[in-house]
Amino acid sequence: MGLDLQKMAKLSCGIDFGTTNSSVAVSDGATARVLDIDLENDSPTLLPSLLYIARDGERIVGRAAANTFIERNVDREVIVRHIDLGVHIEGYVGGEGDNTYGSVPRKEGLDVHEAVTARALVEVNSPGRLFQSLKTSLRLKEFRGTEVFGTHYQIEELTAEILRRIKAAVDEEAGEPIDSAVFGRPVHFSTREDEDIVAERRLKTAAHLAGFKNVTFLYEPVGACVEYAISREYTQRLMVVDIGGGTFDVCIMEFGGSHGRASRLAESRILGVAGVPVAGDAIDREITREKIFPCFGSQARYGPAMLPLPQFLFNTVLDWQNLYKLNTEETINWLIAAQVSSDQPKAIRALRALIQRNYGYPLAREVETAKKALSTELETAIEFCEPDIEINERLERSEFKHIIEHMLEKMMKALEDAEKAAGLGPEEIDRVLTTGGTSLIPAVREMLTDRYGREKLEQRDTFTSVATGLAIVAQYA
Ligand SMILES: Nc1ncnc2c1ncn2[C@@H]1O[C@H](COP(=O)(O)OP(=O)(O)OP(=O)(O)O)[C@@H](O)[C@H]1O
Ligand SMILES: [Mg+2]
């Protein structure tokens, strides 16, 4: 890897800022260990990468962010109004738009999400907002930030809020402020190079905002590879497949057989990397499309011409963070009218309840829970029962595999790309290490077994092997 092997006296720190979960490890030279960073989480070494910002500006991260959102925001009638901003403006105010304010005065105390010309869509009674998968937003050039209750937050600042928790844990462990960290990054934040550059730059800025002065990046799967290879003193070619919430990453590395961690690291070489932004979140969306959309009327017909419901309604269901945008008087009245003339009135009624009572997030969690269950069970059910909503959808592992087939193809292509970059065939790889939550999916494991052979596969710590390896590298960075 061409690392400069000047040993550092201080505790070294490796940070895996994940789409779903973040973790941190520190190394004192002898051992690397992961730190507890979220005592409210079932696994305290994992900090769910979630941020809740309350109306009064309070910021809550991790498991508590999800719990607070469910407690305060869900099962509550969302009231959305169009407000007249009184001035003609071009473009958007807040939301995912360009955030050009021009000379428009801000309305105090209101959560202005989006405005076109002189009107803004405002959630008047929202107690707070929850941000999920911020890492995915880092690559979106047009998403510079968002408006939360009259305050503009840049994406870097939202991300920094999560990193601050990690920094505090590291400093506490070290008993002094730690300025340097090796951060993981996916092989590709995006398939577009310009977006990839933007994402890394933003993550670096977020790390600076959180107090890390010296930040270096390493591919996440390289971290996992080092974690495995550092103590095994024999020559081998290793492949790491790291599949998380946002990205599928592969790297192939070669390690020599010399003694000592420093020389083993110095002799290691990255032979090839590849990656695609297709992982757990995209899989959840696919299950939602196939199994949940029909429960909300995606196959319903309405009116005298028996038309299907507009697709945009369902696209918003896919993205629960934007569900409130459907909660306008026009849309709700339209849904009530469509329901009366529909061949599936119950489904359209359910869609209205989903929108009006803000059930998007808990429903997404049910889908994820069912997906995880299929890693150990052959069949499961997605169950979600609330007033006017009754979902009980059976999902078998075989059907799930079928649903994600096209994603498996993309993952396979990334494996081939990594092999090609390394100039190696599958038989020339000695060991295939897997990590990341999505690597537990049986269809993914089958794909790897078919290509490399069962005996070569080894699951490493699913959620912390990347951070541990990054901390080891940080020791010598
Ligand atoms: N048992 C399981 N079976 C299938 N999927 C799982 C399981 N456990 C977790 N997942 C999925 O794994 C993903 C989270 O994994 P992980 O924490 O490794 O991702 P991440 O590191 O946050 O994301 P990334 O590396 O892509 O930025 C989520 O999509 C989650 O639903
Ligand atoms: Mg990860």
Side-chain angles (χ1 to χ4, degrees):
M1 282 188 288
L3 291 169
D4 178 11
L5 301 177
Q6 286 295 313
K7 223 176 179 182
M8 293 167 66
K10 273 190 179 179
L11 221 49
S12 316
C13 168
I15 295 175
D16 179 14
F17 172 62
T19 310
T20 315
N21 298 296
S22 295
S23 57
V24 58
V26 293
S27 170
D28 56 12
T31 50
R33 59 191 184 282
V34 287
L35 301 182
D36 284 350
I37 43 177
D38 191 352
L39 298 180
E40 289 192 40
N41 201 24
D42 289 344
S43 311
T45 52
L46 298 184
L47 176 70
S49 306
L50 296 168
L51 169 65
Y52 181 84
I53 303 183
R55 184 172 280 276
D56 64 5
E58 183 193 14
R59 304 170 191 193
I60 303 171
V61 299
R63 179 58 57 211
N67 293 345
T68 308
F69 181 77
I70 297 221
E71 197 183 296
R72 297 188 195 165
N73 288 55
V74 172
D75 204 3
R76 169 190 69 94
E77 195 166 349
V78 183
I79 302 170
V80 180
R81 263 198 290 131
H82 275 110
I83 59 160
D84 190 352
L85 292 176
V87 199
H88 178 84
I89 47 168
E90 298 292 337
Y92 292 97
V93 172
E96 290 74 37
D98 198 28
N99 296 312
T100 33
Y101 283 98
S103 57
V104 183
R106 291 195 206 177
K107 297 264 171 173
E108 281 304 316
L110 291 177
D111 185 8
V112 182
H113 286 290
E114 184 183 77
V116 180
T117 65
R119 287 184 347 140
L121 188 61
V122 175
E123 207 184 327
V124 277
N125 65 338
S126 166
R129 281 180 66 187
L130 181 69
F131 295 92
Q132 188 185 27
S133 302
L134 282 166
K135 188 174 171 185
T136 305
S137 304
L138 285 173
R139 69 169 183 243
L140 304 175
K141 279 169 106 177
E142 69 282 9
F143 181 80
R144 295 198 196 127
T146 188
E147 193 76 9
V148 188
F149 308 119
T151 303
H152 181 70
Y153 289 84
Q154 289 191 314
I155 178 75
E156 293 87 341
E157 179 54 32
L158 298 172
T159 304
E161 202 52 47
I162 290 172
L163 300 181
R164 281 190 187 104
R165 163 75 69 90
I166 295 173
K167 175 82 165 62
V170 173
D171 290 354
E172 194 186 327
E173 180 73 12
E176 61 178 329
I178 295 292
D179 292 341
S180 306
V182 172
F183 273 74
R185 53 147 294 165
V187 172
H188 296 296
F189 277 100
S190 163
T191 45
R192 279 174 46 181
E193 204 187 325
D194 57 335
E195 290 193 334
D196 196 77
I197 292 166
V198 165
E200 187 185 289
R201 196 176 59 223
R202 285 173 167 175
L203 183 53
K204 193 168 201 167
T205 305
H208 289 321
L209 287 172
F212 292 105
K213 293 187 184 128
N214 310 308
V215 174
T216 43
F217 286 103
L218 201 66
Y219 291 137
E220 287 156 10
V222 170
C225 205
V226 168
E227 185 270 335
Y228 174 87
I230 198 71
S231 54
R232 291 173 168 81
E233 299 191 334
Y234 39 88
T235 305
Q236 53 185 338
R237 284 178 185 149
L238 300 170
M239 172 184 262
V240 166
V241 185
D242 173 10
I243 326 170
T247 48
F248 175 101
D249 280 337
V250 200
C251 88
I252 302 172
M253 287 185 77
E254 187 170 63
F255 279 81
S258 55
H259 294 302
R261 294 154 72 104
S263 45
R264 290 182 55 64
L265 211 47
E267 284 168 14
S268 67
R269 280 196 310 139
I270 297 172
L271 303 180
V273 293
V276 274
V278 173
D281 282 358
I283 289 172
D284 294 352
R285 278 198 295 276
E286 220 43 50
I287 299 175
T288 305
R289 225 188 289 273
E290 288 292 321
K291 304 296 289 186
I292 303 297
F293 276 14
C295 307
F296 292 111
S298 63
Q299 282 148 24
R301 295 283 185 273
Y302 78 99
M306 280 310 196
L307 295 169
L309 267 64
Q311 188 56 38
F312 79 88
L313 289 172
F314 301 101
N315 290 342
T316 319
V317 173
L318 265 192
D319 178 12
W320 63 263
Q321 299 188 80
N322 282 320
L323 199 58
Y324 75 91
K325 289 181 181 170
L326 294 181
N327 200 15
T328 61
E329 218 177 307
E330 290 110 295
T331 309
I332 295 301
N333 286 341
W334 186 89
L335 282 171
I336 292 169
Q339 184 185 327
V340 174
S341 64
S342 165
D343 57 350
Q344 291 185 22
K346 272 177 92 174
I348 300 181
R349 180 72 194 88
L351 179 59
R352 192 149 60 83
L354 178 80
I355 298 166
Q356 288 188 291
R357 300 206 64 83
N358 208 20
Y359 290 126
Y361 179 58
L363 176 62
R365 293 228 304 203
E366 285 307 318
V367 169
E368 188 191 10
T369 303
K371 171 190 74 174
K372 289 184 191 173
L374 286 180
S375 292
T376 46
E377 315 288 330
L378 287 175
E379 87 168 73
T380 189
I382 307 168
E383 288 175 13
F384 193 79
C385 294
E386 294 291 347
D388 294 319
I389 305 179
E390 203 178 313
I391 297 175
N392 193 338
E393 285 293 308
R394 255 170 46 119
L395 182 58
E396 291 184 12
R397 200 187 270 179
S398 51
E399 186 188 359
F400 173 48
K401 183 180 172 186
H402 182 67
I403 290 173
I404 62 169
E405 208 111 64
H406 64 286
M407 298 183 173
L408 295 172
E409 281 166 20
K410 288 190 179 147
M411 294 178 186
M412 177 65 98
K413 168 87 173 42
L415 294 173
E416 289 166 0
D417 287 349
E419 288 170 14
K420 211 163 145 196
L424 297 174
E427 65 293 341
E428 292 172 282
I429 291 161
D430 299 314
R431 207 137 195 85
V432 177
L433 311 166
T434 50
T435 188
T438 303
S439 73
L440 299 175
I441 291 178
V444 171
R445 302 200 70 73
E446 254 170 53
M447 174 181 76
L448 296 171
T449 305
D450 289 350
R451 192 166 182 84
Y452 302 102
R454 187 177 301 281
E455 67 293 345
K456 283 191 190 169
L457 245 60
E458 181 169 335
Q459 180 75 12
R460 303 301 294 164
D461 189 289
T462 305
F463 299 106
T464 60
S465 62
V466 170
T468 304
L470 296 174
I472 294 168
V473 174
Q475 192 76 45
Y476 304 100

